[in-house]
Amino acid sequence: MTASPFAVRDLGVTPYRDAWDLQKTLHAQVAAGDAPPTLLLVEHPPVLTLGRKAREGTNIIATRDYLHTQGIEVLEVERGGDVTYHGPGQLVAYAIFPVGRRVADFLRLLEQATIRALHDLRLEDARPNPGYAGVYVTARDVNGLTYDQKIASFGVAVQRHVALHGLALNVNANLQHFDLIVPCGLTQTHMTSVQREYDLRGLNRTASMTEAKDALTRAFHTTFAQYDWTLPAPAAAGS
């Protein structure tokens, strides 16, 4: 059997700051060629993170005092995108992978892997939404208005040709926590989850985090099977 080109580490439930520190440590090692590319799988206690487009947190609806009483931390991070929520029941996958200048291609591969995993989980309508990062299922009418249904969010940073951060897939997350924000700054979008889709479709299934991790890991192996794992050579001094 061919050895996997990337390692997979399941961190269970880990505070965001701890996983962030681990990402940065692994990132430095991968960029230096001292560690293999690594996919981290994790759930976080409730936290809001502000990406580079977050505009001072204006898409946070709840007051900071209320968030503090609920034990929900707000952190500014180096990924792209706006504000997003992480919490129990959400599968977060951090792909510490070489990217070079192929950022758009890398994002499409993350998208494809997530869609493959969702198809494996019997949500065959999972798809991209042109013009928006993330993965969606079929839009729904709510009180006469049509809302996109977003099930997975993306946000990455690329430093020294290696990616940080990745994707967040709602498996059985508390979707009410998304009411604290305008997710990714999108006002015509509702957040959904694997469990919510099972329930609305009458599938009589329970969304399992273990099953979701297995599906996503398989999807990453398939999607990145032909990936170029080489890092660009460092620029010569004075060039």
Side-chain angles (χ1 to χ4, degrees):
M1 180 180 294
T2 303
S4 173
F6 61 91
V8 180
R9 293 178 60 177
D10 186 344
L11 304 182
V13 179
T14 300
Y16 189 91
R17 286 182 183 271
D18 293 347
W20 194 14
D21 287 343
L22 177 59
Q23 277 194 79
K24 287 184 273 193
T25 298
L26 282 172
H27 177 272
Q29 293 172 344
V30 172
D34 295 331
T38 301
L39 179 66
L40 300 176
L41 303 177
V42 63
E43 291 177 77
H44 294 305
V47 63
L48 299 181
T49 65
L50 303 174
R52 295 190 301 272
K53 296 181 180 178
R55 298 181 181 178
E56 306 298 327
T58 55
N59 283 318
I60 298 177
I61 297 172
T63 67
R64 298 303 176 97
D65 286 343
Y66 176 79
L67 295 173
H68 179 72
T69 64
Q70 299 300 305
I72 300 177
E73 194 171 15
V74 180
L75 296 172
E76 295 182 8
V77 298
E78 63 270 72
R79 64 164 173 78
D82 205 296
V83 61
T84 197
Y85 163 79
H86 298 305
Q90 182 190 75
L91 174 55
V92 182
Y94 297 125
I96 317 299
F97 287 6
V99 174
R101 299 183 183 277
R102 302 162 292 161
V103 179
D105 292 341
F106 177 69
L107 287 170
R108 296 292 79 77
L109 291 173
L110 292 183
E111 192 176 78
Q112 291 172 28
T114 307
I115 291 170
R116 273 198 171 99
L118 287 166
H119 288 181
D120 198 9
L121 295 171
R122 294 187 58 185
L123 297 182
E124 290 87 359
D125 59 332
R127 56 174 177 78
N129 191 350
Y132 299 97
V135 171
Y136 295 71
V137 294
T138 303
R140 288 194 179 90
D141 289 337
V142 180
N143 297 324
L145 297 175
T146 300
Y147 290 89
D148 289 327
Q149 302 293 311
K150 188 174 186 180
I151 197 166
S153 302
F154 295 82
V156 302
V158 177
Q159 299 172 355
R160 297 174 61 193
H161 303 297
V162 175
L164 287 160
H165 302 284
L167 66 94
L169 170 62
N170 297 325
V171 179
N172 50 24
N174 181 354
L175 297 176
Q176 291 183 341
H177 279 173
F178 285 98
D179 294 338
L180 301 170
I181 62 175
V182 181
C184 301
L186 301 175
T187 58
Q188 298 301 314
T189 297
H190 284 173
M191 301 302 294
T192 190
S193 68
V194 176
Q195 186 63 63
R196 181 170 187 262
E197 294 304 316
Y198 286 169
D199 294 343
L200 290 175
R201 299 166 195 223
L203 294 180
N204 194 29
R205 286 171 61 94
T206 298
S208 159
M209 182 60 68
T210 298
E211 187 179 6
K213 287 178 179 178
D214 289 345
L216 191 63
T217 300
R218 288 193 300 270
F220 261 82
H221 281 297
T222 300
T223 304
F224 285 85
Q226 304 301 320
Y227 192 65
D228 180 1
W229 296 97
T230 59
L231 278 169
S239 63

